[in-house]
Amino acid sequence: MASNDQLSVPQKDLAEAWRRTLPERLRAGDQAEVYEDEKNPNTLLITIQSAGRQDLEFDFAVTYVDSREIDIQLSDVEKDGQSVDERTDVMQELIADYRRHLHECAQALHHFTHA
């Protein structure tokens, strides 16, 4: 039997659920903005501002592969509005940390996305 496990939640509702849930998953002081991707109804664009004096901003695209699984793509890392090299060990640790928080958020929303 073939599984038709498509995401059936309207993008606007999904983005709102992420806006409510993601801040609970981030470290204190980190801030996140969640946008709907107008080109892809299964994708949310997420910007995370890192707490502290680094003034770092991480841009991710979170795409629902199906109602449970997400694919996370990092599109940019900026410091003071300038793109920075994300290949350093410190950046890789921060990126891995944020990817984990994004996965945790998606898991927390399984009840919402997996109808």
Side-chain angles (χ1 to χ4, degrees):
M1 185 167 122
S3 169
N4 189 11
D5 188 21
Q6 297 291 313
L7 181 68
S8 59
V9 176
Q11 187 183 42
K12 182 175 174 285
D13 296 346
L14 185 63
E16 189 53 44
W18 272 77
R19 283 184 198 107
R20 283 193 311 269
T21 308
L22 184 57
E24 300 168 3
R25 299 291 183 269
L26 296 175
R27 288 187 306 248
D30 285 352
Q31 295 184 354
E33 295 175 31
V34 179
Y35 307 97
E36 297 146 41
D37 183 346
E38 294 176 4
K39 291 180 251 155
N40 184 343
N42 290 347
T43 300
L44 298 174
L45 304 175
I46 298 175
T47 299
I48 298 174
Q49 288 102 14
S50 192
R53 286 171 288 174
Q54 303 120 316
D55 202 19
L56 290 170
E57 233 180 56
F58 298 81
D59 293 327
F60 294 95
V62 174
T63 302
Y64 275 82
V65 178
D66 58 31
S67 71
R68 289 175 178 258
E69 185 182 346
I70 60 170
D71 176 60
I72 301 170
Q73 297 295 321
L74 175 72
S75 57
D76 193 25
V77 179
E78 291 185 355
K79 179 181 176 104
D80 299 320
Q82 301 291 314
S83 287
V84 296
D85 183 359
E86 67 263 8
R87 295 171 295 194
T88 66
D89 288 346
V90 172
M91 286 296 162
Q92 286 300 308
E93 281 178 37
L94 279 168
I95 291 164
D97 203 35
Y98 287 133
R99 291 173 69 88
R100 188 176 72 251
H101 294 313
L102 293 169
H103 277 291
E104 288 170 1
C105 184
Q107 284 179 329
L109 292 172
H110 271 176
H111 70 281
F112 185 67
T113 59
H114 190 73

